[in-house]
Amino acid sequence: MEAYKQEFIEFMVDSDVLKFGEFTLKSGRKSPFFMNAGGYVTGSQLKRLGEYYAKAIHSTYGDDFDVLFGPAYKGIPLGVVTAVAYSELYGKEVRYCSDRKEEKDHGADKGSFLGSKLKDGDRVIMIEDVTTSGKSMEETVPKVKGAADVEIVGLMVSLNRMEVGKGGGKCALDEIQELYGFRTNAIVTMEEVVEYLYGREYKGRVIIDDQIKAAIDAYYEQYGVK
């Protein structure tokens, strides 16, 4: 496994963003693990997070894009810190844009979006924390496509949970790619997380022990891609 992936897994653990236990997801599934990008709260954490996203996007998509779109709410800071990191790391100015849950009907920035306006011809990369079932893209893609004649180049998430999407046959990221026609990628996969953390003592404790590993295996037996 590449060193940056190991570093990112440790970063998620250190930031208390990757948790193990029992969680109810937006999709309604009961999961033994949960990744919450809202847990990145300090300046140094957000700086590092933006750098990981920027490096993954640069490696996957190159520089041929104009806008980072982060869906509200968690995608808003993700888009901002990644745009900052991209400028610092690669010297390229990219704009950030996010949607509003409720349209603003007053002021100079009224409308359905925050940040830069989407313009005809823009090449857009979507950025999210994690995609479980693909449900969020149902809401986001029509908003972006309806705002201007843009091309969505791809989607980057931090963690690929590697479980079936709404169709039940493919993982959510593969399903999104097939449905909407743009590439989907993640900084790390859950398989890589388990491979790296299972049975390993990290800072005095084993993050994924036999009990947690059994719960993860059972979850994937039900929701994993066959």
Side-chain angles (χ1 to χ4, degrees), residues 166-183:
K166 292 179 61 181
K170 300 179 179 180
C171 81
L173 286 180
D174 287 345
E175 197 170 270
I176 289 168
Q177 180 167 307
E178 184 176 281
L179 183 61
Y180 297 109
F182 54 77
R183 293 169 63 191

Side-chain angles (χ1 to χ4, degrees), residues 182-201:
F182 54 77
R183 293 169 63 191
T184 57
N185 294 89
I187 300 173
V188 294
T189 67
M190 196 60 201
E191 182 179 26
E192 290 168 330
V193 170
V194 174
E195 174 190 334
Y196 184 65
L197 291 180
Y198 176 50
R200 177 191 298 268
E201 185 173 306

Side-chain angles (χ1 to χ4, degrees), residues 101-217:
K101 291 292 188 181
E102 296 180 1
E103 185 168 342
K104 184 179 179 183
D105 60 3
H106 61 281
D109 62 341
K110 66 181 179 180
S112 301
F113 297 94
L114 293 167
S116 172
K117 292 186 181 299
L118 294 172
K119 302 180 295 188
D120 290 351
D122 277 343
R123 290 170 58 80
V124 180
I125 290 179
M126 315 284 277
I127 184 168
E128 280 202 312
D129 56 347
V130 64
T131 297
T132 302
S133 65
K135 183 176 175 59
S136 61
M137 286 293 105
E138 281 186 7
E139 305 166 0
T140 305
V141 170
K143 285 184 181 179
V144 173
K145 290 281 196 178
D149 183 15
V150 304
E151 178 185 354
I152 299 178
V153 177
L155 166 68
M156 180 63 71
V157 303
S158 59
L159 177 67
N160 181 357
R161 291 181 58 101
M162 301 182 65
E163 56 196 82
V164 292
K166 292 179 61 181
K170 300 179 179 180
C171 81
L173 286 180
D174 287 345
E175 197 170 270
I176 289 168
Q177 180 167 307
E178 184 176 281
L179 183 61
Y180 297 109
F182 54 77
R183 293 169 63 191
T184 57
N185 294 89
I187 300 173
V188 294
T189 67
M190 196 60 201
E191 182 179 26
E192 290 168 330
V193 170
V194 174
E195 174 190 334
Y196 184 65
L197 291 180
Y198 176 50
R200 177 191 298 268
E201 185 173 306
Y202 178 67
K203 293 188 175 179
R205 66 189 179 107
V206 176
I207 309 298
I208 299 181
D209 58 17
D210 290 342
Q211 183 177 352
I212 293 173
K213 176 66 161 55
I216 292 172
D217 289 345

Side-chain angles (χ1 to χ4, degrees), residues 35-88:
M35 205 289 290
N36 174 28
Y40 298 113
V41 294
T42 70
S44 61
Q45 286 174 336
L46 291 167
K47 183 177 187 297
R48 287 186 64 189
L49 179 63
E51 290 169 351
Y52 280 118
Y53 268 104
K55 289 176 181 178
I57 289 170
H58 185 265
S59 175
T60 305
Y61 301 109
D63 287 334
D64 190 16
F65 69 99
D66 309 291
V67 181
L68 287 168
F69 188 93
Y73 289 105
K74 292 178 183 176
I76 297 174
L78 293 180
V80 172
V81 298
T82 304
V84 171
Y86 214 92
S87 175
E88 291 183 344

